[in-house]
Amino acid sequence: MIDWSSIVKDFITIFVVIDPIGSLPVFLYATTGVPAHLHKRFAIRAVVIAAIVLMAFLIGGQFLLEALGLRLGAFQIAGGLILLLFALQMIFGDSKPSSEIKAAEKDHLSGAVFPLAMPSIASPGAMLGVVILTDNYRYSIPEQAVTATILMIVLGLTLLLLLLASRIHKIIGATGASVVSRVMGIVLATIAIDSMLAGLEVVGAINLSN
């Protein structure tokens, strides 16, 4: 039986941590000076690179943790804390677009890899998010496959938004993108707290069993 509530929750989580709308100004900055006929190829390249990075974390992230002898419950707590800090930065600090554009200006780098694919699309929060959502001890292979499918759908939506970046930016403007990013930060903060509580439950269950 399909658990639509879990699917919706995973979709919201992945959409928030990837933040496709917040990446629009980054895309516009990164394509400054790039001929218009290359923008489509630019967007596709960035999304493909981000997809490879995130799928690598989805498949091998937990194996890496276990190889290092780290418990997933502890990782859920740490990941939730980092997601919370990321969310607080989105809410109270520089919005995602402005902070990443400043980083690009500082390093004098622009392009499909940086800052668009990383850290805008495949952000640290997104990497941690996909690992938490595919816990091998909580989710079966089919459930993890559903999460991977949701990830690819969100990345597909990200690509679509990037291809429509110029039109969308004219409608919402820089202020609109900042407002949306902060609203998503509030949602992400709630998800982060839920992740930490789940991690505490896992650690508590392990301690009780011992």
Side-chain angles (χ1 to χ4, degrees), residues 67-210:
L68 295 174
L70 302 176
R71 292 183 295 180
L72 188 60
F75 182 72
Q76 283 182 283
I77 297 172
L81 179 59
I82 293 175
L83 288 177
L84 179 61
L85 294 175
F86 182 71
L88 293 176
Q89 182 182 4
M90 292 173 66
I91 298 170
F92 298 109
D94 286 338
S95 64
K96 176 181 177 181
S98 61
S99 62
E100 288 166 2
I101 289 173
K102 287 179 181 177
E105 290 174 343
K106 181 178 179 180
D107 295 335
H108 304 289
L109 294 174
S110 63
V113 178
F114 178 88
L116 189 53
M118 299 169 57
S120 183
I121 301 174
S123 64
M127 296 175 192
L128 290 171
V130 296
V131 172
I132 292 172
L133 291 176
T134 54
D135 178 3
N136 293 333
Y137 299 107
R138 296 175 60 194
Y139 305 105
S140 63
I141 296 298
E143 289 174 325
Q144 294 182 40
V146 170
T147 302
T149 302
I150 294 172
L151 172 61
M152 298 310 295
I153 291 174
V154 173
L155 289 172
L157 292 174
T158 303
L159 176 59
L160 179 61
L161 289 174
L162 293 182
L163 295 176
L164 298 174
S166 298
R167 297 180 182 177
I168 294 175
H169 190 261
K170 289 180 180 178
I171 297 174
I172 67 175
T175 301
S178 178
V179 170
V180 171
S181 182
R182 281 168 168 76
V183 172
M184 288 185 171
I186 295 174
V187 176
L188 180 58
T190 304
I191 294 172
I193 295 296
D194 183 68
S195 174
M196 287 188 285
L197 292 176
L200 289 172
E201 290 179 359
V202 172
V203 173
I206 292 176
N207 291 335
L208 288 176
S209 64
N210 293 334

